Amino acid sequence: MDIGDSNLDSEATIKVGTVAPTGEPCEELYPPPCCMVIFGASGDLTRRKLMPALYRLTKDKILPDNFFVVGAARTEMDDNGFRRMMEDAVKEVKNFDAKAWKEFSKRLFYRKIDYSKDTFENIKKLLDEKEEQFGTGRNRLFYLATPPSAYSGIIETLGSRGLSEEGEGWSRIVIEKPYGHDLESAKRLEEVVLKNFDEQQVYRIDHYLGKETVQNIMMLRFANLIFEPIWNRRYIDHVQITVAESMGIEGRAGYYEQAGVLRDMFQNHILQVLAFIAMEPPSIYESELVRDERVKVFRALRPIDINKLSESLVIGQYAAGEVGGKAAQGYIEEEGVAKDSMVPTFAALKVFVDNWRWQDVPFYLRSGKRLSEKFSQVTIQFKGVPHQMFRETLAAEIGPNAFILRIQPDERVQLRFHTKNPGSKVCLRDVLMDFPYMQGYTGIELSDYERVLIDCMLGDKMLFVRRDGMELAWGFLTPILKAAERGPLRPEVDLYKAGSYGPFEADKLLQKDGRRWVNL
Ligand code: NDP
């Protein structure tokens, strides 16, 4: 063990040595032959996330040779134009390999569509032709990477052109977030989806669940004996879930002005992470059983008392400041944002899970843009020791233990505890046992999008959001959104400086409960 600097406010960090593998290395899973049709293929998501993920999966030989991609969008381009556009995007990827790209790009095709039935016929013809050529067995993955306003139309047309039918191969649809704008609109979208596809064909994606350390929550909790006995209200004082971004809205004002932080982060990523932390162990590790347990957590969420909303919710918006040593403009100065916009870019929310395990244990959820650092972590804050037996020896009281699951940027598991400080005088110090999650792993590292794309192709739905889960999450959040956006009890939107940890009111939310946020 060596001692280094702590990145919490503890005094020392203990690094855990490399852990010897307990068995044979895990085998990779290889998806079957298939094709992927991306609608909105000229957009940001395709360039920044989907195409780099597909390229890496091909380069690492995880995707089979019998695989091709059809990009579809309204922009005028031919296959070569699309390949050039994607190459420019993928070149940004670490260890770009020109040869591997050349091979991969031969499997990329593009069709300009105006989303009319005729242009869908063109896509269908292209699929028939290329499926023959690539031997993909008519397995088709349709990916909606357009603005959500286009989802229903595309789904209807896929259905009416027979593209949702399964026969020789499977047909699946991947729907990006945001899945609706509130409970009512999500249900309307749901109706269209389920009129044209069966639930088992639908993949409501939350790429956040593809992050290694989110999945690892289940392994840590249920593959070890030591955590479960203390994973409850008897030992846990509270839980914090933070998804902090240092970026602003990156030119996506059109989307963000409609969404705000509660829709963008809470309805999906944060509530899903909460579900992994709070869920009960399923009897076996199987998609539907795991999803059942996550859904039960949503069912147990205590509705927020809208008349006392400000006791549970703080919202804020970034003002000009400095992030990472660079000047950052305020939200309302961003291009495309209304000068009087009240859209929150930060929220902190206190919630409770009303069940035997978690009764009266607060879960403090927090997310914001243009914060001091980009980091996501879960902190399980334990209760203090029942009796301060060192009180005569030590001037200060002993603080509680904490278990920290860092999701990004660097994936780690940390335990904060107390030890004796070496030396003649008896005093304690607060140390951090630190396990970098990727330590000792030499296999292929998959990004969140790579992982969820593989799962769609394999038909594994564990990391996807089921219909009931999606509706319950919206059902919990929609009254809060309505009150926060236009109700008479609408909370103030507190300004915070870009580069800070959010508005002071968010600190007060915890301070009044005698607690404080754990930052990086
Ligand atoms: P973009 O705004 O970049 O749109 C993608 C493409 O959709 C555009 O290039 C455009 O292509 C096409 N498009 C725009 N308007 C319409 C319309 N009215 N009808 C049909 N097509 C249209 O979005 P992103 O790529 O950023 O995101 C796509 C989806 O993924 C969104 O729902 C977003 O919320 C979600 N998402 C995005 C993430 C990201 O990092 N970007 C992360 C997580 C989710 P053309 O004009 O050529 O047709």
Side-chain angles (χ1 to χ4, degrees), residues 42-45 48 73-75 115 145-147 151 176-178 252:
S42 60
D44 179 73
L45 180 74
R48 277 195 317 115
R74 299 167 308 178
T75 301
Y115 295 98
T146 62
Y151 289 174
E176 262 295 350
K177 67 153 208 181
R252 298 179 71 213

Side-chain angles (χ1 to χ4, degrees), residues 171-269:
S171 169
R172 296 179 186 150
I173 184 149
V174 187
I175 306 175
E176 262 295 350
K177 67 153 208 181
Y179 198 94
H181 192 70
D182 52 20
L183 181 60
E184 291 80 34
S185 56
K187 280 186 169 171
R188 279 199 299 277
L189 174 59
E190 202 55 40
E191 232 172 78
V192 176
V193 172
L194 296 177
K195 196 175 97 198
N196 293 287
F197 288 86
D198 287 338
E199 174 68 19
Q200 52 89 13
Q201 297 175 275
V202 183
Y203 290 71
R204 297 173 196 86
I205 201 165
D206 185 342
H207 65 271
Y208 215 74
L209 302 191
K211 292 191 185 296
E212 284 282 0
T213 23
V214 173
Q215 260 191 300
N216 186 42
I217 296 172
M218 264 190 299
M219 313 303 153
L220 264 174
R221 287 190 55 198
F222 304 135
N224 295 294
L225 181 70
I226 57 172
F227 300 116
E228 245 346 74
I230 53 171
W231 206 265
N232 56 52
R233 64 188 304 273
R234 205 163 159 208
Y235 296 97
I236 294 178
D237 177 72
H238 73 277
V239 177
Q240 297 182 17
I241 302 176
T242 298
V243 179
E245 296 184 290
S246 53
M247 293 187 322
I249 51 167
E250 307 295 299
R252 298 179 71 213
Y255 160 70
Y256 208 83
E257 278 280 272
Q258 298 302 313
V261 68
L262 288 166
R263 288 188 183 83
D264 189 43
M265 286 290 176
F266 283 67
Q267 192 275 335
N268 34 65
H269 307 332

Side-chain angles (χ1 to χ4, degrees), residues 479-496:
I480 303 174
L481 279 165
K482 282 189 176 155
E485 284 171 353
R486 48 181 183 269
L489 300 166
R490 177 183 181 152
E492 291 277 314
V493 180
D494 299 305
L495 288 180
Y496 60 96

